Amino acid sequence: MSSRGGTGSTGNTGNTRGRMVGIEILRFFSAFAVLVWHYQHFFFRPETASIDVVRDTQPLYGWLHPFYDFGWLGVNVFWTISGFIFFNRYLSKIVARQVSGGLFFLNRFSRLYPLHIVTLVAVALLQAYYVRENHAFFVYPYNTPYDFFVNVIFASGWLTPYTDSFNGPVWSVSTEIVIYVAFFLLARFFRIGLGWTLLIMCLAAAAGGLLIHQHVKGSESNIVFCAFYFFMGGAVHLIYERLRDVIEAHRRATVLLCCAGYAALFAVCAVFGGTKYLAATVIAPISIVLLHAIEPWIPERFASPIAKLGNTTYSSYLIHFPLQLTTVIVLQRLGMSSATLAMSPWFLLAYLIAVFVLARWVYQALEAPAQTFLRRRLAWIGGRSQRGAAN
């Protein structure tokens, strides 16, 4: 996803202006939420093919319980951030035909596919070893040749009735690719603005509400929910642009209004009860506005490290499951249990540090070079719009 792969690039990588540094903070916490949510994988038992852990016994639960309980909603926040970024970086350029379909495809392919295919092959090899030793696949059970093909074409989030195959977390990226295509077509042929975007949001919300009421989950609902959050992020961008002068003239008032929005949400949930979807639907746009509004207040000495962290979110999302699987295999070879060690706060800390350090290395050693190589070798796909195009 674009939101997992950086908010864009400038000619000078040391310059963070135009990088939406505030949004990078939200992206980092969304990635952190998913990593903590998936920490439960370390408690997988092959003999029952299930995760066996009482959630509130996991390390530092008192501090991290929102992430342990609802960390999967980080995906919904990612989708919202993606909508905000795509409308910001691409909408006007697609409408003005400065970005062709070929260039749009090339930018997405070069950004997302190299790491996806590497982690897919890595998980396939690791799962082959794990199932030989344990007679069960680790966490994600659907790993047939057909499932591998579905993952190769980046369709695990919508082509099969299940999403838990191979490098399972990639399902949300797969789903978002469908929305990328819809976004490009709507921008190119319908020149969508705020009215169209709000209409799509409402239609997706109605469809999503029906799916929730009918208890429909999995790939059947993925595209609908992704569409809602993506176009909600787009609507936030369009509204923000309309109110930019007011926001910039009254930044402190904007911050206070956002804090009031958080307080109102917590009060409503405390008094009337609320759903996890309500929380994600309110928190994501408020956080985007708040962090985008305060960006000028972020010192440059902090902005550069934050921007670098943003580059690691896509890689952290794709590598954390292969890292977990590798860790479990190594521990088994040493005669140790991951479920026992994972009860320690130090193990949790080591896991999180390892993911983000490795993610930074993967971005520098694989993602960025592969992206540059593909965009140069396949520049003909982008046509004349290649120069100066959005990331």
Side-chain angles (χ1 to χ4, degrees):
M1 285 197 259
S2 169
S3 69
R4 295 188 178 98
T7 53
S9 63
T10 60
N12 179 2
T13 57
N15 183 6
T16 57
R17 292 186 181 277
R19 286 295 309 272
M20 292 192 261
V21 175
I23 304 301
E24 302 286 11
I25 298 173
L26 183 60
R27 294 203 308 128
F28 173 78
F29 277 103
S30 299
F32 180 84
V34 173
L35 294 182
V36 174
W37 167 253
H38 282 162
Y39 188 72
Q40 61 186 294
H41 291 170
F42 286 115
F43 300 94
F44 179 81
R45 296 181 60 185
E47 56 270 22
T48 59
S50 63
I51 293 173
D52 183 17
V53 64
V54 178
R55 190 165 293 165
D56 61 9
T57 63
Q58 295 180 97
L60 303 180
Y61 180 83
W63 291 91
L64 300 177
H65 68 88
F67 304 113
Y68 279 126
D69 294 340
F70 305 110
W72 58 274
L73 287 172
V75 170
N76 302 57
V77 177
F78 272 131
W79 285 337
T80 309
I81 296 171
S82 282
F84 185 90
I85 292 170
F86 268 64
F87 272 69
N88 177 280
R89 300 293 188 189
Y90 277 114
L91 180 61
S92 62
K93 293 183 179 181
I94 294 173
V95 170
R97 298 184 179 270
Q98 295 175 356
V99 172
S100 66
L103 178 57
F104 187 78
F105 165 79
L106 176 59
N107 284 351
R108 294 305 91 216
F109 176 81
S110 63
R111 186 66 190 91
L112 302 175
Y113 200 78
L115 184 58
H116 165 60
I117 199 66
V118 169
T119 53
L120 172 60
V121 172
V123 169
L125 295 174
L126 290 167
Q127 285 282 30
Y129 178 85
Y130 184 88
V131 75
R132 188 185 70 184
E133 298 295 317
N134 296 276
H135 309 290
F137 287 110
F138 181 70
V139 181
Y140 302 116
Y142 299 104
N143 299 291
T144 67
Y146 174 72
D147 294 314
F148 186 82
F149 168 75
V150 168
N151 276 269
V152 166
I153 63 173
F154 237 145
S156 61
W158 49 271
L159 189 57
T160 55
Y162 46 82
T163 60
D164 41 355
S165 64
F166 288 97
N167 194 12
V170 81
W171 72 266
S172 65
V173 187
S174 162
T175 302
E176 196 171 349
I177 289 173
V178 177
I179 305 305
Y180 291 163
V181 175
F183 164 74
F184 180 87
L185 294 175
L186 288 167
R188 172 58 58 87
F189 297 107
F190 294 91
R191 306 169 70 89
I192 57 172
L194 182 58
W196 268 103
T197 303
L198 292 174
L199 176 60
I200 295 170
M201 265 186 64
C202 291
L203 292 175
L210 181 62
L211 291 171
I212 292 173
H213 179 72
Q214 295 181 345
H215 303 287
V216 177
K217 298 180 180 180
S219 59
E220 296 89 346
S221 59
N222 290 341
I223 292 177
V224 171
F225 288 121
C226 182
F228 171 77
Y229 285 101
F230 183 92
F231 284 98
M232 179 174 70
V236 171
H237 165 71
L238 295 173
I239 294 172
Y240 191 99
E241 288 302 307
R242 290 192 178 194
L243 300 177
R244 177 178 289 276
D245 291 342
V246 176
I247 292 172
E248 291 182 351
H250 304 89
R251 291 191 190 277
R252 289 182 174 81
T254 300
V255 171
L256 290 175
L257 282 175
C258 289
C259 292
Y262 289 134
L265 171 65
F266 297 145
V268 168
C269 291
V271 175
F272 301 103
T275 69
K276 45 192 174 291
Y277 293 106
L278 172 64
T281 302
V282 174
I283 288 175
I286 290 179
S287 299
I288 288 174
V289 171
L290 173 63
L291 292 168
H292 203 49
I294 67 171
E295 182 168 328
W297 297 345
I298 300 175
E300 183 66 23
R301 65 180 181 276
F302 296 138
S304 181
I306 292 171
K308 290 178 180 178
L309 268 181
N311 287 329
T312 69
T313 50
Y314 179 61
S315 50
S316 68
Y317 192 75
L318 260 64
I319 69 171
H320 75 273
F321 179 72
L323 181 61
Q324 289 178 325
L325 180 50
T326 301
T327 301
V328 169
I329 290 173
V330 171
L331 290 176
Q332 285 185 346
R333 294 286 295 175
L334 296 174
M336 304 170 72
S337 168
S338 63
T340 301
L341 292 174
M343 296 302 295
S344 168
W346 294 109
F347 189 89
L348 169 63
L349 182 62
Y351 157 69
L352 294 172
I353 292 175
V355 169
F356 285 112
V357 170
L358 183 59
R360 178 61 183 168
W361 179 82
V362 166
Y363 175 78
Q364 293 176 320
L366 173 61
E367 283 190 77
Q371 178 178 300
T372 300
F373 174 80
L374 288 173
R375 291 186 182 184
R376 286 176 178 173
R377 293 299 297 269
L378 302 177
W380 56 272
I381 295 178
R384 295 180 180 179
S385 299
Q386 178 70 37
R387 187 180 301 274
N391 188 346

